[in-house]
């Protein structure tokens, strides 16, 4: 495949990704991939729900079931998540999870290396406030707000023509949240003595991309993972597929994401920070359209409910993601015929070997150009791996657990190889483990060779022009904007010769180690 047939779109907020993609489709009068009518009338049953995740016997309306903030706050089929957790426990009992990935000593520093560590900064965490006037429906400048008491009750106010007007002392961000999320209610929290956004009796920190604001009395704190012998270990980015073809149901989609879910947990427990991205890989007549959005940032918890919703909940996949993808596909290609539900999903092996080199180059270039947050420092640790289940495969079958364990072992073995300063020792440890399990030398060699070649893959073409030279050609009008956009999209995905030489050299070095250790 050539980069000419490949399109990549990125977002760091799934809610804004949905909102913006859907708006692009609406603004250009593109047909919806899924309407409320099609979602509710489908009669193909998957447990209590249909193929779109709609439950006709639920006393909640379609809008309530499919509300992206409240309805989708709980995964469609909760009993399946219980099986996922049981599987994790069963596999953990059979595996030495993570091998050499042992808990590392984290060093905290104020230098802007690594990533901002919320947990350490929260030692001095404060809630900045805003003062809201119900009578004027405005936020009042804090310099104009006064404090007083009535009996034992403290209150805040500002003056209008000498008359006191009461204001609510809210956490900063509250007013913007409730303005954009009408389902929220502003109530006084007795613990903080602030007015905060609530939903169903619980404080809401984020809604539709709008968030409560926090600050810290500590200077910014960054966490880095120290390697033995010095240096700083890179952070890891994991890519999960979101959704699957029509014949697949949430259970099979959960099977697909389980190896990566387990790896994320192991890495976080070992002191390695992890980001998680969803990738929706469409193949429409040979054109491959990759929509990618982040669902977990460095330092955030590995939330199985949230991850499962964005990867395996058909309400998100076949309603929100399909409709938003129609807009994003149009923006990328200017083609009205690339609908969000058209074509088929690109296969996992193809994504790992062919797509991920494109994605790594794209992200790296966007970082270098200042368009993306400068947090990814090692393209070798931007990883995709998944298990493509059969359409009838069950989560709790022994066969499924064995397949999940195999995929998890391969990606965790590769990560520990990259994190280690003594890769030969890692290979020896892996070989010993597999020999004790009873694997033959030929099987072990095949396993290790595949692990290296799949993870350290390159693009089939080399970048033929530097991106900075393309920028200069556009600036001097040597090429048109349309030609620039096309050439930039194709070139930004490709390896430079220097990078490809480095990857091939590293791959050959590892393959040589494998051969020496298996004679």
């Amino acid at each position: 495949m050539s980069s000419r047939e490949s399109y990549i779109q990125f977002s760091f907020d799934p809610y804004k990704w949905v909102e913006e993609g859907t708006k692009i489709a609406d603004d250009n009068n593109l047909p919806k991939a899924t309407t409320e009518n099609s979602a509710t009338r489908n009669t193909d049953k998957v447990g209590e729900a249909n193929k779109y995740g709609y439950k006709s016997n639920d006393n909640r309306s379609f809008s309530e079931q499919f509300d992206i903030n409240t309805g989708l706050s709980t995964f469609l089929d909760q009993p399946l998540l219980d099986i996922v957790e049981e599987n994790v426990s069963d596999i953990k009992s059979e595996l030495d999870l993570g091998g050499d990935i042992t808990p590392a000593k984290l060093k905290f520093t104020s230098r802007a290396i690594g990533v901002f560590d919320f947990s350490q900064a929260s030692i001095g965490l404060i809630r900045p406030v805003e003062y809201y006037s119900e009578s004027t429906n405005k936020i009042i400048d804090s310099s104009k707000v006064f404090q007083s008491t009535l009996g034992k009750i403290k209150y805040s106010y500002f003056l209008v023509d000498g008359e006191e007007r009461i204001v609510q002392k809210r956490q900063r961000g509250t007013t913007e949240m409730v303005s954009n999320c009408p389902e929220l209610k502003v109530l006084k929290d007795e613990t903080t003595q602030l007015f905060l956004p609530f939903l169903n009796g619980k404080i809401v920190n984020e809604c539709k991309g709008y968030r409560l604001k926090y600050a810290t009395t500590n200077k910014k704190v960054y966490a880095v993972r120290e390697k033995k012998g010095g240096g700083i270990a890179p952070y890891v980015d994991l890519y999960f597929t979101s959704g699957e073809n029509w014949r697949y149901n949430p259970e099979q989609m959960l099977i697909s994401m389980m190896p990566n879910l387990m790896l994320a947990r192991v890495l976080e427990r070992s002191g390695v920070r992890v980001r998680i991205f969803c990738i929706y890989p469409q193949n429409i007549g040979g054109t491959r359209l990759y929509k990618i959005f982040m669902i977990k940032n460095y330092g955030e918890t590995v939330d199985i409910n949230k991850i499962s919703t964005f990867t395996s909940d058909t309400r998100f996949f076949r309603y929100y993601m399909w409709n938003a993808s129609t807009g994003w596909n149009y923006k990328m290609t200017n083609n009205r015929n690339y609908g969000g539900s058209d074509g088929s999903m690109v296969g996992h092996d193809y994504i790992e070997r062919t797509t991920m080199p494109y994605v790594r180059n794209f992200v790296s270039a966007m970082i270098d150009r200042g368009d993306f947050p400068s947090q990814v420092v090692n393209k070798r640790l931007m990883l995709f791996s998944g298990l493509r289940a059969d359409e009838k495969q069950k989560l709790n079958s022994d066969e499924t657990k064995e397949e999940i364990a195999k995929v998890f072992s391969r990606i965790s073995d590769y990560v520990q190889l990259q994190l280690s300063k003594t890769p030969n020792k890692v290979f020896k440890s892996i070989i010993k483990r597999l020999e004790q399990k009873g694997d033959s030398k030929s099987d072990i060699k095949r396993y290790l060779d595949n692990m290296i070649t799949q993870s350290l893959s390159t693009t089939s073409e080399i970048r033929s022009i530097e991106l900075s030279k393309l920028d200069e050609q556009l600036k001097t009008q040597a090429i048109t904007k349309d030609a620039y956009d096309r050439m930039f999209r194709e070139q930004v995905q490709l390896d430079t010769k220097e990078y490809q030489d480095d990857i091939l050299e590293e791959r050959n070095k590892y393959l040589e180690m494998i051969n020496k250790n298996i004679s």
Side-chain angles (χ1 to χ4, degrees), residues 394-427:
K394 294 298 181 182
L395 260 169
N396 57 359
S397 74
D398 291 338
E399 178 190 36
T400 296
K401 294 176 187 177
E402 184 177 351
E403 290 181 12
I404 292 169
K406 284 181 179 178
V407 176
F408 167 81
S409 293
R410 180 173 64 81
I411 54 176
S412 63
D413 284 343
Y414 172 76
V415 170
Q416 64 178 295
L417 188 68
Q418 284 291 336
L419 293 180
S420 175
K421 297 197 77 174
T422 55
N424 201 50
K425 287 185 179 180
V426 175
F427 279 126

Side-chain angles (χ1 to χ4, degrees), residues 16 78 286 366 371 417 422 456:
K16 287 185 178 179
Q78 284 292 311
M366 293 299 102
D371 295 327
L417 188 68
T422 55
L456 291 175

Side-chain angles (χ1 to χ4, degrees), residues 234-256:
Y235 293 76
V236 176
D237 285 359
L238 299 178
Y239 288 75
F240 294 43
T241 50
S242 184
E244 251 296 357
N245 293 323
W246 179 256
R247 64 185 183 273
Y248 287 83
N249 299 321
E251 185 165 8
Q252 290 77 49
M253 299 176 201
L254 288 172
I255 292 171
S256 174

Side-chain angles (χ1 to χ4, degrees), residues 3 353-365 379-380 455-467 488-505 507:
S3 62
R353 286 183 178 270
T354 305
T355 304
M356 283 309 296
Y358 288 154
V359 173
R360 293 179 189 118
N361 291 327
F362 178 87
V363 172
S364 180
K379 291 194 285 186
R380 293 164 174 80
S455 300
L456 291 175
S457 53
T458 60
T459 58
S460 59
E461 303 167 279
I462 297 291
R463 192 177 294 176
S464 60
I465 184 171
E466 295 178 13
L467 300 180
F488 183 88
R489 174 184 61 79
E490 294 172 6
Q491 293 295 316
V492 75
Q493 300 179 57
L494 299 177
D495 293 338
T496 63
K497 187 176 187 309
E498 295 75 18
Y499 175 73
Q500 188 164 112
D501 287 345
D502 287 344
I503 289 294
L504 294 176
E505 182 181 352
R507 189 165 75 187

